[in-house]
Amino acid sequence: MSNRLTRITTGQGDKGMTRLANQQHVKKSHPRIEAIGTVDELNAVLGMLVASIKKPQHEAIVSALKNIQNQLFSLGGELASPSQVFLKTSDIAQLEAWIKTWNQKLPPLKEFVIPGACVASANAHFARCVARRAERRLVGLAEQEEVTELGVIYLNRLSDLLFIISRMIARTESTKEAQWQR
């Protein structure tokens, strides 16, 4: 593999423009750049979540999150290369399998969960919120330009999975999930 990032500072973005992988120049405020940036932010927040998980019984979650981080790079690649498709329906199917398996281990909720049971659970909630924002950015971009439907579906399922992960972590770190008091 060739060196992909040999120069980090180019100075080309100083005037508010950036270049997509297909060499097209766009404003940094363009909805496509907003979507790319939010997916990148989500990946960074997932890194915070992975780094904050300390319990060995969450190895499957850590492994899943690392897999998801790679898939988010694929989604970012799709956004940066508008004619390319990297996500697969099997990526969504994997998220749905984790959702089904892990949600079955949790008791039903009677109220909304309040984030903050522990740092790792709070980080999962934060990642969930960023995933929802990334989904909104992708939907907004799709209103103006063509994007693959898989990216929107992927982010929607990911936010659901992150909610389940937050609950799983909270239940091992704390005796009770904090819930909204009416």
Side-chain angles (χ1 to χ4, degrees):
M1 185 172 131
S2 65
N3 294 329
R4 294 176 65 95
L5 299 172
T6 55
R7 288 182 57 207
I8 302 303
T9 302
T10 64
Q12 294 182 10
D14 293 349
K15 299 212 184 311
M17 299 292 287
T18 192
R19 186 174 48 212
L20 299 174
N22 66 2
Q23 304 307 310
Q24 176 188 1
H25 283 83
V26 296
K27 290 183 178 184
K28 289 188 176 186
S29 60
H30 190 282
R32 183 169 297 278
I33 302 305
E34 280 292 328
I36 291 169
T38 308
V39 168
D40 186 35
E41 180 183 357
L42 174 57
N43 209 334
V45 174
L46 288 179
M48 290 171 42
L49 172 56
V50 166
S52 66
I53 295 175
K54 303 296 183 207
K55 298 277 185 186
Q57 67 259 43
H58 296 310
E59 286 178 34
I61 291 172
V62 169
S63 177
L65 292 171
K66 289 179 179 181
N67 184 348
I68 290 164
Q69 285 185 288
N70 277 289
Q71 291 170 347
L72 288 175
F73 269 103
S74 294
L75 177 55
E78 283 186 19
L79 291 168
S81 305
S83 62
Q84 300 288 317
V85 177
F86 299 118
L87 283 179
K88 303 177 286 297
T89 55
S90 60
D91 297 328
I92 295 167
Q94 178 62 73
L95 293 178
E96 290 172 343
W98 285 322
I99 288 168
K100 182 179 180 183
T101 300
W102 292 341
N103 196 45
Q104 289 175 347
K105 298 176 182 183
L106 296 169
L109 279 171
K110 294 184 172 65
E111 283 299 344
F112 293 104
V113 173
I114 296 177
C118 64
V119 171
S121 176
N123 283 337
H125 277 289
F126 183 37
R128 172 186 56 80
C129 294
V130 177
R132 288 282 190 212
R133 181 160 33 91
E135 178 186 5
R136 291 190 306 271
R137 295 292 187 263
L138 222 56
V139 168
L141 175 60
E143 291 170 353
Q144 297 179 22
E145 297 182 13
E146 190 171 325
V147 282
T148 68
E149 184 180 51
L150 292 180
V152 174
I153 295 169
Y154 186 87
L155 291 169
N156 183 275
R157 295 305 182 286
L158 177 56
S159 64
D160 293 340
L161 178 62
L162 290 166
F163 179 74
I164 291 165
I165 288 172
S166 73
R167 292 193 67 212
M168 291 176 63
I169 293 170
R171 296 185 69 75
T172 60
E173 299 284 332
S174 177
T175 56
K176 187 175 180 183
E177 291 177 280
Q179 295 185 7
W180 176 46
Q181 304 297 312
R182 291 178 183 258

